[in-house]
């Protein structure tokens, strides 16, 4: 029987990040039991705060399993309290522009002098130095600069990915970097400055498309829903919608032809080799589409799967979470919100044998845990109220 599993509970993480890339990194630690202290300015209006249904849901998704402390880092008293937290912390995550953290005096070198064991993670738009270092960085800008928009969509119409892929992948890479630094600290006793950026993450995510240029000297273009280097692989219309079919390789292609009732295509000189099928993709797709239109999606999916041909439906979000395999994988978790009651959040896509995630907590209201965190630092209730009155917390 699985039991609650909190392998990261021994770590204290200071979260100075906002919007998505930094919180995406911190969420990996929050879900696995680390003590996350989310630090916010007392009077600042956050652009990731709840302000309607969409904002509320995204805030719960991004900031669950944290404690919230309000702290004015521009006030010497607030700065002093922050440095006390740094002394006790294992990890700090921030996504300020490089010049901002230096101006506040919370850059890596300044904090390393206080706690040499601190693992300090920085996520920026374009890197901590270089010609673009202090530019404001947003996901879509990184998508354009990093190449994904040039290979997404139909030819002649650059298209952004439907999710903030640069933000999310940068967060994941930062989390991986922090974990590596924590493992290294077990031997060296020293922390590290972990650095990544939206641009680095997006370029890395180009994977085989980048390799086509780096090794083959080929500039990839847009191929819509077709796979750029394999055919037939893409989206095909049916009598009641569309399905994905991925018949890579000659064996899969032969199986597809048999299921479609078109065995003559196996020996068609236009389609006998993988390269020919790519070169004659338009003709090949035209032949397949004429047949897939004759039956509904469920029929084709059943027949193709039975023959071992990779295929599947194209679902909207409601259909995804209604899918029997998604439900089997328990990709959602229930959280009891103090005002909204039970809500569903995304589960982690990683499982461990004989262990499950600890019970999730909703994202905290701003400053909800200020008093308890200050008490941990030795600040009594009366002093906490004085600091609150002075706008320090």
């Amino acid at each position: 029987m699985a039991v609650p599993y909190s392998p990261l509970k021994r770590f204290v993480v200071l979260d100075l990040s906002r919007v998505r890339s930094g919180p995406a990194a911190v969420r990996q630690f929050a879900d696995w039991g680390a003590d996350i202290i989310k630090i916010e300015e007392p009077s600042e209006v956050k652009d990731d705060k709840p302000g309607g249904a969409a904002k509320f849901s995204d805030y719960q998704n991004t900031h669950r399993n944290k404690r919230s402390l309000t702290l004015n880092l521009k006030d010497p008293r607030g700065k002093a309290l922050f440095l006390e937290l740094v002394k006790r912390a294992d990890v700090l995550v921030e996504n300020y522009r490089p010049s901002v953290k230096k101006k506040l005096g919370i850059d890596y070198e300044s904090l390393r002098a206080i706690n040499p064991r601190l693992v300090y993670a920085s996520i920026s738009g374009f890197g901590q130095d270089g010609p673009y270092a202090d530019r404001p960085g947003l996901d879509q800008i990184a998508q354009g600069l990093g190449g994904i928009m040039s290979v997404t969509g139909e030819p002649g119409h650059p298209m952004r990915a439907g999710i903030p892929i640069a933000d999310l992948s940068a967060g994941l890479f930062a989390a991986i970097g922090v974990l590596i630094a924590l493992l290294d600290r077990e031997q060296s006793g020293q922390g590290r400055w972990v650095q990544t950026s939206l641009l680095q993450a997006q370029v890395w995510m180009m994977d085989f498309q980048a390799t086509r240029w780096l090794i083959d000297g080929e500039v990839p273009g847009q191929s819509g829903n077709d796979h750029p280097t394999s055919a037939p692989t893409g989206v095909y219309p049916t009598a009641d919608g569309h399905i994905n079919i991925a018949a890579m390789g000659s064996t899969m292609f032969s199986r597809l032809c048999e299921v479609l009732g078109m065995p003559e295509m196996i020996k068609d000189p236009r389609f006998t080799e993988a390269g020919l099928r790519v070169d004659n993709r338009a003709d090949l797709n035209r032949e397949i589409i004429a047949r897939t239109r004759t039956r509904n999606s469920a029929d084709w999916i059943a027949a193709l799967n039975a023959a071992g041909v990779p295929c599947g439906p194209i679902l909207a979000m409601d259909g995804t979470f209604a899918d029997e395999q998604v439900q089997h994988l328990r990709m959602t978790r229930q959280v009891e919100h103090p005002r909204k009651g039970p809500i569903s959040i995304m589960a982690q896509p990683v499982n461990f044998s004989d262990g499950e995630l600890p019970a999730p907590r909703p994202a905290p209201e701003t400053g909800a845990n200020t008093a308890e965190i200050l008490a941990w630092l030795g600040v009594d209730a009366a002093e906490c109220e004085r600091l609150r009155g002075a706008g320090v917390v």
Side-chain angles (χ1 to χ4, degrees):
M1 180 179 178
V3 296
Y5 184 51
S6 303
L8 303 182
K9 65 181 179 181
R10 65 188 183 278
F11 296 116
V12 175
V13 178
L14 304 183
D15 180 11
L16 276 71
S17 67
R18 58 187 301 177
V19 187
R20 192 164 310 278
S21 61
V26 174
R27 183 167 54 191
Q28 302 307 308
F29 297 88
D31 283 358
W32 294 106
D35 181 9
I36 312 296
I37 300 176
K38 177 174 167 58
I39 299 173
E40 306 176 78
E41 290 284 338
S43 58
E44 187 175 2
V45 177
K46 294 282 188 177
D47 55 11
D48 61 357
K49 279 297 185 185
K55 287 285 189 181
F56 172 83
S57 61
D58 196 35
Y59 191 71
Q60 295 302 314
N61 169 55
T62 306
H63 295 293
R64 65 202 188 213
N65 296 324
K66 299 179 182 180
R67 297 192 290 166
S68 173
L69 165 69
T70 51
L71 201 58
N72 183 358
L73 298 179
K74 297 175 183 177
D75 186 293
R77 294 165 292 181
K79 178 76 171 293
L81 289 169
F82 172 72
L83 296 180
E84 288 300 316
L85 285 170
V86 169
K87 292 176 184 177
R88 293 164 168 79
D90 297 285
V91 177
L92 182 148
V93 179
E94 58 85 19
N95 56 357
Y96 291 115
R97 277 187 275 174
S99 62
V100 173
K101 55 179 168 281
K102 291 179 182 177
K103 184 177 179 180
L104 289 172
I106 59 172
D107 54 287
Y108 173 65
E109 292 300 333
S110 298
L111 300 188
R112 181 187 183 191
I114 296 166
N115 179 1
R117 289 176 55 80
L118 181 69
V119 174
Y120 186 114
S122 293
I123 307 172
S124 60
F126 306 103
Q128 296 300 307
D129 48 34
Y132 301 167
D134 233 31
R135 289 185 183 181
L138 295 173
D139 177 87
Q140 187 154 342
I141 308 305
Q143 286 197 32
L145 190 57
I148 192 171
M149 292 178 68
S150 74
V151 299
T152 303
E154 298 295 334
H157 300 279
M159 182 71 68
R160 67 181 292 275
I163 58 169
I165 189 170
D167 274 336
L168 295 173
S169 55
L172 288 173
F173 290 136
I176 293 169
V178 168
L179 290 170
I180 292 170
L182 288 170
L183 286 171
D184 179 65
R185 192 180 72 173
E186 292 180 0
Q187 292 185 312
S188 69
Q190 299 294 308
R192 294 273 184 172
W193 186 10
V194 177
Q195 305 167 38
T196 192
S197 67
L198 274 61
L199 181 56
Q200 287 169 280
Q202 183 60 80
V203 171
W204 193 93
M205 291 294 287
M206 294 309 294
D207 197 62
F208 78 95
Q209 296 282 40
T211 300
R212 290 171 71 186
W213 162 247
L214 292 172
I215 296 177
D216 302 329
E218 177 185 357
V219 178
Q222 295 160 291
S223 55
N225 283 320
D226 290 319
H227 190 282
T229 61
S230 173
T233 299
V235 174
Y236 295 90
T238 66
D240 62 350
H242 296 81
I243 61 172
N244 278 311
I245 299 174
M248 294 184 175
S250 294
T251 299
M252 289 294 179
F253 178 63
S254 297
R255 292 177 185 174
L256 171 64
C257 293
E258 295 291 347
V259 173
L260 293 175
M262 305 169 73
E264 67 278 4
M265 286 208 305
I266 299 172
K267 296 183 179 180
D268 190 308
R270 296 172 296 172
F271 312 138
T272 52
E273 297 177 4
L276 290 172
R277 290 193 289 275
V278 173
D279 292 342
N280 296 294
R281 186 199 304 271
D283 290 345
L284 178 57
N285 281 344
R286 195 159 34 246
E287 298 279 357
I288 294 172
I289 288 169
R291 192 56 59 94
T292 58
R293 288 187 186 278
T294 64
R295 296 168 63 183
N296 66 36
S297 297
D299 285 347
W300 283 124
I301 290 169
L304 290 167
N305 274 318
V309 178
C311 66
I314 299 170
L315 304 176
M317 279 289 87
D318 55 347
T320 295
F321 285 103
D323 181 83
E324 61 181 349
Q325 185 64 27
V326 174
Q327 292 188 354
H328 173 78
L329 293 171
R330 299 176 63 199
M331 284 303 299
T332 62
R333 305 199 76 201
Q334 289 291 307
V335 177
E336 190 67 29
H337 191 271
R339 289 185 289 106
K340 298 282 188 175
I343 58 174
S344 294
I345 62 170
M346 191 83 73
Q348 280 282 341
V350 176
N351 301 321
F352 289 91
S353 60
D354 302 321
E356 62 181 20
L357 288 164
R361 306 188 311 276
E365 300 293 329
T366 301
N369 310 102
T370 294
E372 69 184 61
I373 295 170
L374 291 184
W376 179 55
L377 296 179
V379 178
D380 62 30
E383 178 63 13
C384 180
E385 286 306 307
R386 283 192 290 271
L387 292 170
R388 198 184 302 276
V392 178
V393 301

